[in-house]
C-alpha cells in the first residue's frame, strides 16, 4: 500500500433481483419494470476519490439520482473510465473523467446498456453491452456480451459469440482478456459460469479455469501483480446480488480443471470487487466499507462510508504498466473461419470408443432468444435444452481422427461425433466459435486442456493434406425442428394406431392433444424415456448416452417394433429432431409470457382445487399418502410422491394435495398427462377411473361405472372450463395462434418487423420471423 496515495470507488443502492447479472435493462414481460437499482427510482450514484493517508474524500461525479459503476483507472493514472446511467434515463453508457474530476466525456450512446469497461493496451476499450439483442435463456432480463471500441467510443465491434452473459473483462499481462463466461449447452443452466480468456479481437477463446467445476460463479477476476495468478470473487451457487463472494486466488498452472488450485483469502462475510496490489495485499468492498485482505485470512476495514449507498469497485489511482499488445488475427471481410481437429479419439470420458468408429462431425448452433419469461425452458423443451439448436450440417473425420473444415464466423457452435450409421458417439456440451478469418485448432474431444497434440511419425494430419471441408447441410429438411410440425405427423402415421386414448395397448399416449403445457405425445416420449437429451445435467457424459444412439424411439421405427418402419426421410427427421435437442416449439414466438403461464396454472388449479372434494371422496382410499393399500395403481399417474427436505424424506404427499395446499411446481408436471385440454373427455384423469365398459381405461377399477356419475361430470366440467379459458387466446401449435405482445415489441425494436405491423390485422410466419432475427445477428 505504500505507493497507493488515492483510491477511486463508487456508491450505489442495491438492486432488487437476486441474480448477479440482472442489474441492467428492463424485464421482458413488462418493460416499465427496470432491473437496475430501485426499479427506476433515484439511485445514490457517486464517483469518489479517497486519499488513503489524509482520509480526505472528494466527489468526482455526483450522478444526482443516476447510477455509476465499474470504474477503471487508465495506464497513466490520470483518467478514469466508468459506466454511467444519467438520472431520468434508462441506459448505462461509457464515460471518461480526469482523476481530478474535470473533463467528463461520454463515449458511447444508443438504446443499449454499455458497462464493465476495461482499457486495452492497443488503445481501445473492451466492455460488456446489450447491443447483442438477446435475452437470458433462463430468466427475464437482457444479455450482455463483450464488445470493443476505439478510445473515443467509435468503431464498436462484437467480439463474443455467446448467447448468454459475459462479464467483467480485464486484461492479463500477456495481453489476453480474462472474463466470466456463462454457458449451458445441453447441461445445467445454474452450474457453469467460469473464467475464460480471449484475444482483444475475439480470437483464441479458451477456458482459463473452472469449466469442469460446477456450482460457483467466478467473476470480477483480475491479475495478481508479479505472478501468473488471478484473484476473483467466487460467488456461491448460481451467484448472488452484486457479484458478492469469497475473494479467491486462482492459477492455471495445473490446468483449468484442477480442484486443488483455488485458495480462499478469507472466511465469513462476502466481499465484492477484489483488486490485487500484490500476492499478499488486496482491496475489496464489503457493505459500506473498503477492506484490506492480507492473503492469510485477515480482513481489515480501512474506510467506512457514511453516506447513502454501498461501496463498490475500489481501485488505486496510480500509473500501471501497459500489457502486451496482441496483433489482430481477423479478416473482417471473411464471413468464415476454419477449424482443425488433431485427433477426435484423444480425450476424456471416451471409454469404449474404438479408433475408426467416428466418421463425421455434426455441427450444431445454439440460437439466441429475442424474448424470455421464466427460469425454465418453457415450451422449448421439458427440462432439457433452454435454446433452439440449428442443424448446420456435417463434415468428415479422416481415418487418423483429424478434421479440417470451414464454419461460419461469430456463431455459437458445438459438435456431435457420429458413427457410420450417423448415430451419436459423443456430444459436446460447451461451445466454440471463430472470428472472421480465424483459424483455430483443438487437440481432441474433451481432451485435457493442458495437453498438446502428440508427435506423429507422419507429422501431417490427413485432414490438412486437402482444402478445408465445406459443411454439408441436410437439404429438404428444416434446420430448426418443431415437434408439432415435423414429428407429430410421423407419429400419427406409424404410432397412434396402438398408442391412442381409445386404444391403449401400447400404454404410451402418442396423440398430439394438448395438456397444460406441451402435447401429450411430446411429454410421453420423455416420461417413458424414449429420447435421451441430457436432462439438464452436468455435461461431458459417457459415449452413446445422449442423442440418437441412446434414444429408444429410433429403434422403434426400424421395423423391429411391431413392423413399424419409417421411410428414410421420416427417420432422418426424427434423427434431426433428437440430435438438435428434441425441442417442442421450433420458435421462440411460442414462449409464454407471465399472464399466459398463469392461465395454464389456473386451469390446473381449477380441476384440482375446485374439485378437491371429489379426489378425497373417490381417489383417496387408494392413492393414500399414508400408504394404504401397499401398492396403489400407477396409471395414468401415481398421485403419490416423496419430497426430500432438510430433515430427510417427508411422508408421501398426494399430488392433488400438493397442488391444492402448496402450489408445488413439481406436482404440476404430473398433470401434463392427466389433463387433455384439446378433447377434455379423453383426459386420462377421467379415463383411468372410468370402467372399461363405459369407454375408460379401467386402470383404477370402476371408480366411475359410467360417464353419468356426478363426480365424473364435475371433473369433466372443470376440465372443459379450463379448455375454454386457455382457448381464449389460441395456444401455440393450434389454429389462430399469434405471438404475444412482447415478442412483437422486441421484433420491432430489432427492426425485424416494421413499426406499423399490427398482429391483430396482419398474419405472421413466426418461424421465418425467427430466422430473420438470427440472420440479422450474423
Amino acid at each position: 500500500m505504500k505507493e497507493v496515495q488515492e483510491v477511486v470507488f463508487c456508491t450505489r443502492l442495491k438492486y432488487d433481483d437476486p441474480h448477479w447479472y440482472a442489474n441492467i435493462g428492463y424485464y421482458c414481460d413488462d418493460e416499465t419494470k427496470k432491473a437496475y437499482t430501485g426499479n427506476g427510482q433515484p439511485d445514490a450514484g457517486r464517483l469518489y476519490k479517497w486519499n488513503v493517508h489524509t482520509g480526505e474524500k472528494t466527489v468526482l461525479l455526483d450522478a444526482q439520482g443516476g447510477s455509476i459503476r465499474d470504474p477503471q483507472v487508465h495506464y497513466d493514472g490520470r483518467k478514469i473510465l466508468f459506466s454511467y446511467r444519467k438520472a431520468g434515463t434508462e441506459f448505462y453508457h461509457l464515460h471518461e473523467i480526469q482523476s481530478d474530476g474535470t473533463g467528463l466525456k461520454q463515449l458511447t450512446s444508443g438504446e443499449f446498456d454499455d458497462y464493465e469497461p476495461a482499457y486495452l493496451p492497443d488503445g481501445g476499450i473492451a466492455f460488456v453491452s446489450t447491443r447483442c439483442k438477446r435475452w437470458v435463456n433462463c430468466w427475464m432480463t437482457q444479455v450482455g456480451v463483450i464488445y470493443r471500441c476505439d478510445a473515443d467510443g467509435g468503431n464498436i465491434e462484437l467480439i463474443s459469440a455467446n448467447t448468454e452473459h459475459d462479464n467483467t473483462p480485464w486484461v492479463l499481462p500477456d495481453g489476453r482478456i480474462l472474463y466470466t463466461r456463462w454457458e449451458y449447452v445441453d447441461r445445467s443452466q445454474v452450474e457453469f459460469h467460469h473464467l475464460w480468456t480471449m484475444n482483444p479481437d475475439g480470437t483464441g477463446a479458451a477456458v482459463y479455469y473452472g469449466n469442469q467445476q460446477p456450482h460457483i460463479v467466478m467473476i470480477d477476476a483480475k491479475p495478481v501483480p508479479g505472478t501468473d495468478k488471478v484473484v476473483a470473487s467466487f460467488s456461491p451457487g448460481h451467484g448472488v446480488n452484486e457479484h458478492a463472494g469469497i475473494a479467491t486466488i486462482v492459477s492455471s498452472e495445473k490446468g483449468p480443471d484442477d480442484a486443488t488450485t483455488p485458495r480462499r483469502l478469507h472466511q465469513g462475510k462476502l466481499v465484492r470487487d477484489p483488486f490485487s496490489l500484490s500476492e499478499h495485499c488486496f482491496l475489496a468492498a464489503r457493505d459500506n466499507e473498503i477492506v484490506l485482505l492480507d492473503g492469510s485470512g485477515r480482513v481489515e476495514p480501512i474506510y467506512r462510508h457514511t453516506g447513502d449507498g454501498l461501496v463498490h469497485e475500489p481501485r488505486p489511482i496510480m500509473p500501471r504498466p501497459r500489457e502486451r499488445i496482441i496483433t489482430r488475427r481477423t479478416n473482417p471481410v471473411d464471413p468464415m473461419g476454419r477449424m482443425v481437429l488433431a485427433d477426435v479419439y484423444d480425450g476424456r470420458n471416451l471409454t469404449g470408443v474404438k479408433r475408426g468408429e467416428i466418421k463425421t462431425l455434426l455441427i450444431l448452433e445454439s440460437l439466441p432468444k429475442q424474448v424470455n419469461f421464466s427460469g425454465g425452458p418453457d415450451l422449448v423443451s421439458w427440462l432439457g435444452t433452454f435454446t433452439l439448436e440449428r442443424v448446420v450440417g456435417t463434415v468428415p473425420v479422416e481415418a487418423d481422427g483429424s478434421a479440417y473444415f470451414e464454419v461460419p464466423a461469430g456463431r455459437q457452435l458445438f459438435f456431435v461425433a457420429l458413427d457410420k450409421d450417423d448415430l451419436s458417439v459423443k456430444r459436446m456440451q460447451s461451445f466454440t466459435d471463430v472470428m472472421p478469418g480465424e483459424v483455430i485448432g483443438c487437440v481432441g474431444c474433451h481432451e485435457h486442456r493442458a495437453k498438446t497434440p502428440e508427435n506423429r511419425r507422419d507429422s501431417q494430419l490427413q485432414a490438412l493434406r486437402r482444402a478445408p471441408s465445406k459443411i454439408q447441410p441436410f437439404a429438404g429438411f428444416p434446420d430448426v425442428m418443431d415437434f408439432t410440425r415435423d414429428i407429430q405427423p410421423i407419429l400419427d402415421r406409424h404410432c397412434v394406431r396402438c398408442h391412442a386414448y381409445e386404444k391403449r395397448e401400447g400404454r404410451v399416449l402418442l396423440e398430439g392433444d394438448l395438456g397444460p403445457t406441451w402435447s401429450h405425445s411430446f411429454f410421453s416420449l420423455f416420461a417413458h424415456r424414449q429420447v435421451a437429451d441430457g436432462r439438464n445435467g452436468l455435461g461431458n457424459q459417457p459415449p452413446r448416452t445422449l442423442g440418437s444412439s441412446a434414444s429408444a424411439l429410433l429403434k422403434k421405427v426400424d421395423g423391429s417394433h411391431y413392423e413399424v418402419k419409417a421411410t428414410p426421410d421420416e427417420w432422418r427427421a426424427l434423427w434431426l429432431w433428437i440430435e438438435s435437442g428434441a425441442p417442442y416449439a421450433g420458435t421462440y414466438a411460442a414462449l409464454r409470457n407471465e399472464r399466459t403461464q398463469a392461465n395454464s396454472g389456473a386451469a390446473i388449479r381449477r380441476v384440482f382445487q375446485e374439485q378437491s372434494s371429489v379426489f378425497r371422496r373417490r381417489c383417496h382410499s387408494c392413492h393414500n399418502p399414508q400408504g394404504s393399500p401397499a401398492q396403489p395403481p400407477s396409471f395414468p399417474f401415481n398421485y403419490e410422491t416423496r419430497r426430500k427436505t432438510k430433515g430427510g424424506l417427508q411422508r408421501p404427499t398426494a399430488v392433488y394435495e400438493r397442488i391444492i395446499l402448496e402450489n408445488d411446481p413439481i406436482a404440476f408436471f404430473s398433470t401434463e398427462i392427466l389433463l387433455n385440454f384439446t378433447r377434455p373427455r379423453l383426459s386420462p384423469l377421467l379415463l383411468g377411473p372410468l370402467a372399461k365398459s363405459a369407454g375408460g381405461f379401467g386402470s383404477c377399477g370402476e371408480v366411475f361405472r359410467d360417464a353419468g356419475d356426478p363426480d365424473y361430470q364435475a371433473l369433466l366440467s372443470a376440465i372443459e372450463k379450463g379448455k375454454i379459458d386457455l382457448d381464449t387466446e389460441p395456444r401455440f401449435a393450434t389454429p389462430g395462434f399469434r405471438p404475444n405482445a412482447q415478442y412483437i415489441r422486441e421484433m420491432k425494436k430489432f427492426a425485424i418487423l416494421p413499426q406499423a405491423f399490427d398482429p391483430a390485422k396482419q398474419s405472421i410466419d413466426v418461424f421465418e420471423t425467427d430466422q430473420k432475427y438470427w440472420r440479422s445477428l450474423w
Side-chain angles (χ1 to χ4, degrees):
M1 286 288 288
K2 66 181 180 180
E3 296 180 8
V4 178
Q5 300 296 318
E6 296 174 315
V7 171
V8 64
F9 67 92
C10 58
T11 59
R12 58 182 178 270
L13 299 174
K14 190 176 181 180
Y15 62 92
D16 297 332
D17 198 291
H19 296 92
W20 92 87
Y21 54 83
N23 52 22
I24 42 91
Y26 55 90
Y27 286 87
C28 192
D29 196 86
D30 181 3
E31 63 179 327
T32 67
K33 183 182 178 183
K34 310 302 180 184
Y36 49 78
T37 300
N39 188 22
Q41 298 301 310
D43 197 359
R46 292 181 181 86
L47 186 67
Y48 287 97
K49 179 173 63 174
W50 171 60
N51 190 296
V52 175
H53 300 285
T54 68
E56 180 184 4
K57 181 175 67 176
T58 304
V59 177
L60 298 179
L61 178 64
D62 186 345
Q64 298 181 342
S67 295
I68 295 174
R69 54 180 293 176
D70 315 318
Q72 194 197 48
V73 179
H74 191 266
Y75 299 104
D76 62 13
R78 297 176 181 174
K79 54 187 177 182
I80 299 165
L81 178 67
F82 61 100
S83 188
Y84 176 23
R85 182 181 59 80
K86 296 178 181 178
T89 67
E90 298 185 10
F91 302 102
Y92 284 96
H93 293 122
L94 304 189
H95 287 69
E96 203 171 46
I97 195 170
Q98 298 298 310
S99 58
D100 62 1
T102 64
L104 178 65
K105 180 169 60 174
Q106 182 170 336
L107 303 180
T108 62
S109 60
E111 295 187 352
F112 308 99
D113 286 293
D114 302 323
Y115 55 105
E116 295 177 348
Y119 285 114
L120 297 175
D122 61 12
I125 297 169
F127 64 101
V128 176
S129 179
T130 60
R131 296 169 187 270
C132 55
K133 303 176 183 177
R134 58 199 64 172
W135 291 76
V136 174
N137 299 322
C138 64
W139 200 236
M140 299 84 86
T141 51
Q142 291 163 296
V143 164
V145 301
I146 298 179
Y147 284 72
R148 63 163 294 153
C149 66
D150 293 344
D152 62 0
N155 293 320
I156 294 175
E157 178 185 356
L158 174 64
I159 58 172
S160 169
N162 203 353
T163 60
E164 269 298 359
H165 273 283
D166 299 325
N167 280 98
T168 59
W170 202 277
V171 182
L172 291 170
D174 64 10
R176 292 178 297 161
I177 296 173
L178 176 70
Y179 67 103
T180 297
R181 173 165 127 174
W182 181 21
E183 50 130 301
Y184 40 100
V185 176
D186 296 337
R187 59 178 180 171
S188 171
Q189 79 277 21
V190 296
E191 304 284 354
F192 298 97
H193 3 58
H194 300 108
L195 301 181
W196 288 69
T197 59
M198 66 166 71
N199 297 326
D201 61 357
T203 60
V207 61
Y208 180 86
Y209 183 80
N211 201 34
Q212 299 291 325
Q213 306 295 328
H215 210 59
I216 197 78
V217 176
M218 302 175 186
I219 200 163
D220 282 311
K222 306 170 191 68
V224 176
T227 75
D228 61 356
K229 302 172 183 177
V230 303
V231 62
S233 174
F234 274 36
S235 194
H238 188 38
V240 298
N241 188 286
E242 294 286 12
H243 305 182
I246 298 295
T248 303
I249 293 288
V250 179
S251 171
S252 62
E253 182 180 3
K254 297 181 181 179
D257 303 321
D258 189 280
T260 66
T261 298
R263 179 169 66 87
R264 296 161 63 105
L265 295 179
H266 62 101
Q267 303 289 331
K269 209 167 190 179
L270 303 182
V271 302
R272 302 183 303 278
D273 316 307
F275 187 98
S276 176
L277 296 164
S278 77
E279 194 169 2
H280 306 288
C281 186
F282 304 85
L283 292 173
R286 187 180 68 181
D287 297 334
N288 65 334
E289 299 174 326
I290 298 175
V291 298
L292 203 63
L293 297 87
D294 69 354
S296 59
R298 290 194 303 168
V299 182
E300 177 186 349
I302 59 173
Y303 168 82
R304 182 170 285 107
H305 186 65
T306 56
D308 294 335
L310 301 178
V311 171
H312 295 275
E313 296 112 14
R315 329 307 198 184
I317 302 176
M318 56 190 297
R320 57 190 175 93
R322 194 178 290 261
E323 302 88 1
R324 171 175 171 255
I325 297 176
I326 299 177
T327 303
R328 180 177 281 269
R329 301 175 182 177
T330 59
N331 177 7
V333 299
D334 191 345
M336 308 294 285
R338 279 147 286 281
M339 292 185 172
V340 180
L341 168 62
D343 186 357
V344 73
Y345 302 102
D346 188 349
R348 292 170 290 184
N349 210 3
L350 287 171
T351 302
V353 178
K354 298 177 181 178
R355 187 164 289 277
E357 190 174 341
I358 296 171
K359 302 300 183 183
T360 56
L361 295 179
L362 173 66
I363 301 175
L364 299 165
E365 176 186 3
S366 186
L367 297 166
K369 285 179 172 176
Q370 63 274 64
V371 289
N372 201 59
F373 304 99
S374 73
D378 193 39
L379 294 190
V380 173
S381 73
W382 175 35
L383 297 181
T385 179
F386 279 73
T387 63
L388 294 173
E389 298 170 359
R390 181 199 303 280
V391 178
V392 184
T394 60
V395 294
V397 174
E398 303 297 335
D400 66 348
S402 65
Y404 178 38
F405 50 96
E406 289 186 339
V407 292
R411 311 262 281 277
Q412 183 170 309
L413 305 174
F414 62 105
F415 311 121
V416 181
L418 305 175
D419 66 14
K420 62 181 177 59
D421 299 316
D422 279 354
L423 297 179
S424 57
V425 178
K426 181 72 174 179
R427 188 177 184 91
M428 182 176 175
Q429 293 180 272
S430 182
F431 79 86
T432 188
D433 67 276
V434 293
M435 290 291 106
E438 181 184 6
V439 180
I440 66 169
C442 59
V443 174
C445 180
H446 293 274
E447 80 282 356
H448 194 288
R449 295 297 172 174
K451 186 175 183 179
T452 58
E454 294 182 4
N455 290 322
R456 300 185 180 190
R457 183 172 300 173
D458 182 356
S459 60
Q460 188 176 26
L461 302 177
Q462 291 180 12
L464 292 180
R465 298 173 186 173
R466 54 167 173 77
S469 301
K470 306 284 186 183
I471 297 174
Q472 298 301 310
F474 291 90
F477 294 92
D479 58 357
V480 179
M481 302 297 287
D482 177 84
F483 182 84
T484 303
R485 181 192 65 195
D486 304 318
I487 304 305
Q488 188 62 51
I490 300 173
L491 303 181
D492 290 342
R493 287 190 291 271
H494 294 288
C495 305
V496 297
R497 64 176 179 264
C498 293
H499 297 281
Y501 302 99
E502 296 167 323
K503 186 180 181 183
R504 53 179 294 270
E505 285 86 342
R507 304 181 72 83
V508 177
L509 296 176
L510 294 180
E511 291 193 82
D513 294 39
L514 295 181
T517 308
W518 308 276
S519 69
H520 281 179
S521 51
F522 178 82
F523 185 85
S524 294
L525 288 174
F526 290 94
H528 292 273
R529 299 182 181 180
Q530 297 301 296
V531 177
D533 68 341
R535 295 287 83 194
N536 203 226
L538 293 183
N540 196 12
Q541 298 301 306
R544 297 190 182 275
T545 57
L546 299 178
S548 52
S549 282
S551 295
L553 177 61
L554 280 183
K555 297 179 178 67
K556 295 287 199 306
V557 296
D558 65 2
S560 61
H561 179 70
Y562 296 97
E563 300 182 353
V564 173
K565 180 75 172 176
T567 68
D569 280 356
E570 289 172 334
W571 186 92
R572 181 61 71 187
L574 291 168
W575 180 88
L576 288 167
W577 174 68
I578 290 170
E579 293 297 357
S580 61
Y584 178 61
T587 168
Y588 293 136
L591 296 176
R592 302 171 301 165
N593 59 21
E594 292 180 20
R595 179 175 53 80
T596 308
Q597 292 179 61
N599 289 345
S600 294
I604 295 170
R605 282 187 289 272
R606 179 187 293 277
V607 177
F608 287 93
Q609 291 181 348
E610 292 183 10
Q611 302 301 323
S612 60
S613 61
V614 174
F615 291 107
R616 291 194 171 99
R617 185 166 55 249
R618 306 301 290 273
C619 306
H620 201 76
S621 60
C622 288
H623 299 279
N624 184 343
Q626 300 305 321
S628 176
Q631 190 170 1
S634 61
F635 193 88
F637 199 92
N638 185 346
Y639 293 107
E640 298 174 17
T641 56
R642 288 179 180 268
R643 283 183 302 163
K644 210 170 194 179
T645 67
K646 291 181 180 179
L649 280 177
Q650 244 185 15
R651 70 173 180 84
T653 306
V655 164
Y656 69 83
E657 283 189 339
R658 291 171 64 181
I659 293 174
I660 293 166
L661 300 176
E662 306 169 39
N663 285 335
D664 190 319
I666 302 301
F668 272 77
F669 279 133
S670 68
T671 68
E672 289 295 335
I673 202 68
L674 294 176
L675 304 177
N676 187 327
F677 287 122
T678 300
R679 294 177 287 175
R681 289 183 180 276
L682 298 181
S683 295
L685 182 66
L686 297 174
L687 295 174
L690 183 62
K692 284 186 177 181
S693 60
F697 296 162
S699 54
C700 292
E702 296 187 354
V703 176
F704 301 136
R705 296 197 174 201
D706 57 56
D709 187 294
D711 285 340
Y712 174 97
Q713 286 295 319
L715 289 177
L716 174 60
S717 176
I719 301 171
E720 288 176 334
K721 289 176 181 177
K723 170 180 167 53
I724 292 171
D725 291 343
L726 291 176
D727 287 349
T728 302
E729 295 181 27
R731 302 169 68 189
F732 177 71
T734 65
F737 167 76
R738 291 174 181 167
N740 57 55
Q742 293 87 348
Y743 178 88
I744 300 298
R745 178 195 71 209
E746 296 301 303
M747 291 297 87
K748 289 181 178 181
K749 282 189 175 184
F750 299 160
I752 306 303
L753 291 174
Q755 292 300 311
F757 179 82
D758 184 350
K761 299 178 181 178
Q762 298 169 269
S763 61
I764 179 173
D765 182 336
V766 292
F767 298 104
E768 178 56 28
T769 303
D770 273 13
Q771 293 281 357
K772 288 180 179 178
Y773 160 69
W774 294 320
R775 288 195 293 268
S776 75
L777 305 175
W778 295 355

